[in-house]
Amino acid sequence: MLEFEQNNLHTSFLITSLNQDISEIKNKLTEYSFVVVEGEKYYVISRNERHFLPGDDILVKQWIEQTEWPSSPVYVEEELSLSDQDWNRPLLISNREGKIKGIITATSWIKTLERRNENLENAFFTLAETINDAVTAVDRDGNVVCWNTAAENTYKIKREDIIGQKIGEHFQSDSIVLHRILNEGRPVRGTYHRPNSDNHVLINASPITSQNQIIGGIATEQDITQMVRLNEELDSSLPLLIQKPKPFSSIVGTNSDLHQALKVAQKVAYAEIPVLLTGESGSGKEMLAQAIHYGGSKRTGPFITLNCSVVPPNFLEFELFGYQERTFTEDEQVTQEGKIQQASNGTLFIEELDKMPLDVQQKFLNYLDDQAFYRVGENEPVTLSENTRVIASTSQNLEEMMQNGEFNESLYYHLTVMNIYIPPLRERKEDMQELVEQFMQEFSTKYKKKAPEISEEVMEVLHTYSWPGNVQELRNVIERFILLCDGDHVSVSYLPHNMREGFSLPEEEKEVEENEEKNEAVLIEEALKKTYGNKSAAANLLGISRGTLYNKLKEYGLN
């Protein structure tokens, strides 16, 4: 319990013996608020009780026996709130050694409890305002008693317009969640929810109990509306990286490891088994996934992508399997298809599989084993008439994650039956010239510009650079060349700043470069704002790899 102040103790008292004269007791009560008579028990006489004392000069011991004056219990202050007290008489408060340190009456105790209650309420509402999520609290009847500023901003409902009203008057579906908590007392954790047509939230809710009775409920709701819309935007804007008629020919290079990967990929393109693509970020896993899809038996079906590093972990289950929600009347149902169903008779490409939570991994494994799945909020399994091809990718060591308990062992062995590794660009420098020519042709056609000639100095940099962002980073650099070069010659000045160490530029080129960098930094900052700081999502929005984004953040001094 939070303790903001001590109990309201009276310290104006005198301790005397049972052999004290009553007249002396009366005199002392003009100086002190209380007189404490000490014997085998303690007896408290307050100033307001002077009129009960007799006029005869007798010992206080005799008077107590005659009137059967009730004694007062003694408590250690720290134990006071844990006891059932009899408030017919004031209580005596002692320290651990038994020395009386104060007196507390029923009136002062009530005032103390009122202040404590007020302090706890203030602490609760301050906490509610400190939390970034929407906070709603209801009493046992479902009336709203707390509605924080985040809730106002999320649902565009002012606090004064909802406090004291039943939650169901504003949110039918939300009312079911809180009423279920009030009726059943079972908490809700990380559940996806749509309280209305405009918002997507992840809800955590718990009952408020007192003496084993449910007296209310409280819910925190994380607004993921922007993240959901961003994911939909990314899904709808995914570029086609290969040519559909001859998809594998779009992946160029003479590197032996790359050729082996392509050879295996072509063989499994017509198989229905899952495939795991491994390799560093930006090495071309998505491009190979598209090639397998459009070069195999599922080419006429949809190619659906789910990026586990972009979607909030608690939202992944909904995205993957779909969602079914009953309305307020429970007569109707709202059903949202998941990626598995959207990819029916096509291919589901799961990027960054290592970011999938363990509980979702198990459900995904069950789907792969049984070819059936459960939508969130639904008790009946869904079996599709057409199979969905699964291709997954990761840039992490799944075997190491499995050994550390961070990845589902059965899922690992299920997917690694067909594991295709794509080498990083720094290990296939012999492919540099062919890749540069391919990207020059792609972007000169895209922007309807003549492909410029690349200087020997620039090619030397391209060959010696480590390429942490791999093929995707090279592709971005070549696109930069085409966009910035207005002549017929690409010089060192067109290279990104982090690739030009050791080269000096003419003053006029430095000024042009500084303006370009400022514009690029602004674009990166805007992307990070849109994605709430999610670097993977920002990289996807910018069309660059995460490695490239990290390099640019370091280059421009951005957080």
Side-chain angles (χ1 to χ4, degrees), residues 48-60:
N48 296 333
E49 295 170 328
R50 287 181 76 242
H51 61 278
F52 288 116
L53 300 176
D56 300 334
D57 194 10
I58 62 174
L59 296 178
V60 68

Side-chain angles (χ1 to χ4, degrees), residues 48 73 78 81 155 238 246 261 264-265 281 283 373 414 483 489 537:
N48 296 333
E78 291 78 6
S81 61
Y155 300 115
L238 288 174
K246 296 181 179 180
V264 174
S281 178
S283 58
F373 60 91
H414 194 117
L483 285 171
H489 184 77

